[in-house]
Amino acid sequence: ATIIFPHPLLLVIAMSVGQGIAIMSLALYLLGVALDLQTQGGAYIPYEEPAAEEPAPVEGGGTPPAA
């Protein structure tokens, strides 16, 4: 509206409404971050796959492989 009717009062009102929306969005974002950290229990630690271990060789007593 301030582009069509460039009055100072309309500009002040538009800037005030925009600032109110920005502060509300910041507050909701910080609330979301706080709730997420509270439910997750702290810092995010990515899951690491355990290192694949080779099976131990079988000693004695086994049947030899067929040739």
Side-chain angles (χ1 to χ4, degrees):
T2 58
I3 294 175
I4 299 171
F5 304 110
H7 295 292
L9 186 60
L10 290 178
L11 181 62
V12 169
I13 292 172
M15 294 292 287
S16 298
V17 170
Q19 182 179 3
I21 292 171
I23 290 173
M24 183 64 70
S25 65
L26 176 64
L28 289 175
Y29 174 75
L30 292 177
L31 177 66
V33 169
L35 290 176
D36 187 49
L37 287 176
Q38 186 179 19
T39 57
Q40 295 293 326
Y44 171 72
I45 301 173
Y47 175 74
E48 294 182 8
E49 291 284 334
E53 298 180 9
E54 295 183 12
V58 178
E59 294 184 15
T63 57

